[in-house]
Amino acid sequence: MNRQIILIAFYFTIFTGLNLPVFSQKTDLKKLQKRIEGVYPQDIESSFQLVKIGLADAILYGDSLESTFFLDVAGEIYRIRGNYDSALFCLNNSLSLKANWTDLKDYSLTHNDLAKTYVNMGKYESAAFHFIEALKLMERSGNKLGQSFYLNNLGIVYDLQQNYLKSIEYYEKSLSLKKELGDTNAIAAVNINLGILYYNLGEFEASINALETSIRLYSDHPKRDKLARAYCNILLSYLANENLTKATIIREEIEKIYPEIVEEKLKIRALSAMARYDLKAGEIELALKSANKALDMAESIDAKANIKDIHLLKSDVFQAQNKLDSALLSLQIAMTYKDSLIDEKSIASVAEMESKYQNEKNKRIIKEQEIAQLKAKKKYENELQEKRENLLYLILVLVIAAGFLVVLLLRYRSKQKKYQMLMVQNALIDKRNKDLSRINEVVKTEIDGLKLSLDEKNKILENVVIKGTQKELSPELISLSKREMEVLCNLSLGYSDEELAESLHVSKSTVKTHLRRIYNKLLVKGRAEAIVVAHKYGLIGKD
């Protein structure tokens, strides 16, 4: 068990009667937390008893992680009860245990509770410090909802110091973020604060509009404290605006929900607001009774701001009763509290702190922008390089594909050409065979008609075949033109390309063209195979 946990245990043992058992079965702290969350803040007393049990077990087993939850709740309960020293003890210890906390939202909530305690004590400099620390944590985590919450709270600090322009600035910043997030409860909270601010500035219509918005948004909220706060403020605005009809309705609503109000300071404010209405309505004794009850409650928790307001209220009540000495005394007491709550040093200190925060924030924003620009530049360069590589790859693929297609096309054309030549040659061979058959039929008919002897018939047939052979070309030569046949005849004598050109009176390139066509038609690969075909069919000589 670390030293800090021991000190916390000592404090609670001495000041709260917390008993640490020597032996006990360890409580399921998670389940206990849920039980506390189920009753807090509606049932403060039950909550506090559960907190003491949980804190005792957390301390006994040295569980600093769980201790912070119970310390935070204990601190809030002490604040609500007006026991500010105990509240500060619990919350400051919780804050120190969270020194290296990764849950920035939870970390910020402890700063927030400390700030609220200092506000209740009238120590606005300390309150502003903790609200700003909480705001920094929310900016680090990028939590816009948390940022809006603490901007709103800083607006409250400036409002309490009567620095209304700064207060409006922070309220507007908070409201802008909350509208962006669509958080109706948060929007309602800011409108309550704006309503109070406009009331302090004497702009009662603006105050009523803001507070009516918050009442509409809070109408079904389970925590009645929020609605009660809006009711208290709008009642004062209606009274200031001389709208006694609506003020009467609101006073009745406050009286209905008063038993459900949990926070002590809000109960004091509700009593004060109803007393103000009673004074306006001419119910002087009822107003004084509510004011005295509120004052007793405020003094029991040392709520200085509330004490100041109630003494001002009593001064007005005494004036209505024509008790001028009592009225003057109450006014003097109120002025004393006013001087203690607001002083130039405190205002300057908060302003300086806010200036430092803004300076740090601006530096951080500039640094973040520089980092973002570098990241964007690097990302752009990477994307550009990737696009270049993809383009080169695409071009390479297209070139390979184009080359492959050209090769396929050339091979296809070559095959088609050979196929067409074979078809032509086969057609010519068929024609020759048909012609020979026809000649044979004619000869046979003639022979049969002449009734020649067998020897004579054979002799005639022999002559016909020889003549037919002389008239018809071979299958290989049948597709050649007259000029190509002439070139092949000369080629069979062994002439070179130059000699062929000279013999035929043409250019060498023309000779090459004729030779290429001859090779293709004869289905040979070159000069040697072509000459073999020429000799086969006795093509020797130029004619």
Side-chain angles (χ1 to χ4, degrees):
M1 191 184 299
N2 64 44
R3 184 179 178 184
Q4 189 171 357
I5 294 292
I6 294 172
L7 289 173
I8 296 169
F10 175 77
Y11 174 85
F12 273 90
T13 301
I14 299 300
F15 295 101
T16 69
L18 177 67
N19 295 316
L20 297 180
V22 179
F23 299 104
S24 71
Q25 185 177 357
K26 188 174 182 180
T27 307
D28 189 332
L29 296 179
K30 293 294 183 185
K31 288 184 179 179
L32 188 60
Q33 285 183 29
K34 290 188 179 298
R35 285 181 61 192
I36 292 170
E37 289 166 353
V39 296
Y40 175 80
Q42 290 79 11
D43 188 344
I44 294 294
E45 188 55 40
S46 297
S47 300
F48 191 58
Q49 294 304 318
L50 293 172
V51 164
K52 288 198 290 185
I53 293 170
L55 191 56
D57 208 61
I59 291 170
L60 183 64
Y61 292 97
D63 193 337
S64 59
L65 178 66
E66 298 294 346
S67 296
T68 58
F69 170 81
F70 301 111
L71 286 169
D72 284 341
V73 178
E76 265 293 271
I77 291 172
Y78 280 131
R79 182 188 70 82
I80 291 169
R81 287 177 168 180
N83 189 344
Y84 301 128
D85 289 336
S86 295
L88 292 175
F89 176 85
C90 293
L91 294 171
N92 278 316
N93 275 288
S94 175
L95 196 66
S96 61
L97 288 172
K98 294 179 179 181
N100 298 314
W101 224 244
T102 55
D103 186 345
L104 298 184
K105 181 181 177 181
D106 184 64
Y107 197 179
S108 73
L109 290 174
T110 306
H111 275 295
N112 179 65
D113 292 343
L114 274 166
K116 288 193 296 182
T117 304
Y118 283 121
V119 167
N120 292 158
M121 297 170 71
K123 296 183 177 181
Y124 301 126
E125 179 183 352
S126 299
F129 170 79
H130 285 287
F131 280 140
I132 288 173
E133 288 301 307
L135 179 59
K136 288 177 181 178
L137 291 171
M138 291 299 92
E139 287 174 345
R140 273 173 54 194
S141 64
N143 188 326
K144 288 189 176 182
L145 182 61
Q147 291 173 43
S148 69
F149 180 73
Y150 296 120
L151 286 167
N152 175 71
N153 289 350
L154 279 166
I156 294 172
V157 173
Y158 284 115
D159 189 4
L160 291 170
Q161 289 187 307
Q162 298 180 7
N163 189 347
Y164 298 129
L165 290 178
K166 292 295 291 184
S167 182
I168 289 174
E169 177 188 338
Y170 275 89
Y171 284 150
E172 291 296 341
K173 287 179 180 179
S174 175
L175 190 58
S176 176
L177 277 175
K178 288 172 179 178
K179 285 180 178 179
E180 181 185 335
L181 297 167
D183 188 335
T184 54
N185 288 331
I187 292 169
V190 178
N191 274 291
I192 287 178
N193 295 333
L194 281 169
I196 297 169
L197 180 58
Y198 287 130
Y199 175 84
N200 292 334
L201 291 170
E203 298 179 16
F204 303 122
E205 285 294 337
S207 175
I208 289 168
N209 289 336
L211 291 166
E212 283 179 344
T213 299
S214 65
I215 288 171
R216 186 177 68 254
L217 295 173
Y218 274 149
S219 59
D220 297 324
H221 201 284
K223 294 181 179 179
R224 307 312 282 170
D225 281 24
K226 295 182 180 295
L227 186 60
R229 184 173 283 106
Y231 277 149
C232 290
N233 289 293
I234 202 168
L235 176 58
L236 296 176
S237 294
Y238 282 139
L239 291 173
N241 211 32
E242 301 294 334
N243 192 337
L244 202 60
T245 303
K246 286 191 175 181
T248 303
I249 297 170
I250 296 298
R251 196 233 186 262
E252 291 172 356
E253 292 296 327
I254 294 173
E255 195 165 14
K256 285 179 188 177
I257 66 171
Y258 181 81
E260 300 177 53
I261 298 174
V262 175
E263 189 176 341
E264 199 74 11
K265 289 189 69 176
L266 187 54
K267 286 183 177 181
I268 296 167
R269 187 163 178 78
L271 285 170
S272 299
M274 289 189 289
R276 278 284 175 194
Y277 170 85
D278 294 336
L279 176 61
K280 189 79 172 180
E283 300 288 341
I284 309 299
E285 293 300 326
L286 186 59
L288 184 59
K289 182 180 177 181
S290 295
N292 284 330
K293 184 179 178 181
L295 184 60
D296 289 341
M297 294 170 67
E299 287 177 341
S300 69
I301 63 172
D302 195 28
K304 292 183 174 62
N306 295 99
I307 294 171
K308 178 203 73 174
D309 291 338
I310 295 167
H311 276 294
L312 289 172
L313 169 62
K314 288 186 69 175
S315 177
D316 293 339
V317 172
F318 287 136
Q319 284 186 62
Q321 291 178 324
N322 204 27
K323 296 178 180 179
L324 299 183
D325 290 341
S326 298
L328 180 60
L329 179 61
S330 292
L331 184 61
Q332 288 173 341
I333 295 171
M335 291 302 102
T336 302
Y337 275 96
K338 183 178 180 180
D339 292 340
S340 68
L341 286 168
I342 301 172
D343 59 83
E344 293 298 326
K345 183 180 178 182
S346 174
I347 293 172
S349 179
V350 173
E352 182 184 358
M353 191 181 305
E354 192 261 348
S355 177
K356 287 180 181 178
Y357 157 72
Q358 291 293 352
N359 188 42
E360 288 177 8
K361 182 179 179 181
N362 291 337
K363 286 181 179 178
R364 187 174 66 254
I365 289 171
I366 292 170
K367 189 67 176 177
E368 288 172 354
Q369 287 175 345
E370 290 175 352
I371 293 171
Q373 287 175 355
L374 287 173
K375 287 182 178 178
K377 183 180 179 182
K378 186 67 176 177
K379 183 180 178 182
Y380 173 75
E381 290 175 351
N382 291 338
E383 288 177 352
L384 187 61
Q385 181 64 27
E386 187 177 350
K387 285 179 181 178
R388 286 174 180 167
E389 291 174 357
N390 290 339
L391 183 60
L392 288 173
Y393 176 74
L394 180 61
I395 291 171
L396 180 62
V397 170
L398 289 175
V399 168
I400 293 171
F404 184 68
L405 287 174
V406 168
V407 171
L408 288 178
L409 182 62
L410 290 174
R411 290 187 65 183
Y412 174 76
R413 289 185 62 185
S414 176
K415 286 184 178 181
Q416 283 291 101
K417 191 171 182 180
K418 290 179 180 180
Y419 174 75
Q420 289 172 357
M421 289 178 62
L422 285 172
M423 292 294 290
V424 170
Q425 289 181 356
N426 288 335
L428 291 172
I429 291 169
D430 288 341
K431 182 178 180 299
R432 175 174 174 273
N433 291 335
K434 287 177 182 178
D435 289 342
L436 287 174
S437 297
R438 182 176 53 77
I439 292 169
N440 288 336
E441 288 294 329
V442 171
V443 171
K444 183 179 179 184
T445 303
E446 290 178 356
I447 291 172
D448 289 340
L450 293 173
K451 295 182 179 180
L452 298 174
S453 65
L454 183 59
D455 292 335
E456 288 173 334
K457 288 180 181 180
N458 288 335
K459 189 174 181 180
I460 290 170
L461 284 172
E462 233 174 65
N463 291 332
V464 170
V465 171
I466 292 169
K467 288 179 182 178
T469 304
Q470 288 174 346
K471 288 181 181 179
E472 298 295 337
L473 295 173
S474 67
E476 287 88 344
L477 306 178
I478 200 165
S479 62
L480 299 180
S481 66
K482 182 179 179 181
R483 190 62 166 172
E484 289 167 351
M485 183 67 79
E486 185 178 358
V487 172
L488 182 60
C489 289
N490 283 279
L491 182 66
S492 64
L493 295 175
Y495 282 15
S496 65
D497 290 354
E498 290 81 1
E499 289 172 335
L500 286 171
E502 184 180 352
S503 173
L504 299 173
H505 307 290
V506 294
S507 67
K508 186 177 178 181
S509 61
T510 302
V511 169
K512 288 184 179 294
T513 301
H514 286 312
L515 289 174
R516 187 166 57 253
R517 289 175 180 171
I518 290 168
Y519 300 157
N520 287 334
K521 290 181 179 182
L522 295 181
L523 300 178
V524 296
K525 295 181 179 178
R527 179 188 296 265
E529 291 183 9
I531 291 171
V532 170
V533 174
H535 280 287
K536 178 179 178 182
Y537 294 101
L539 300 177
I540 300 172
K542 295 180 182 179
D543 297 327

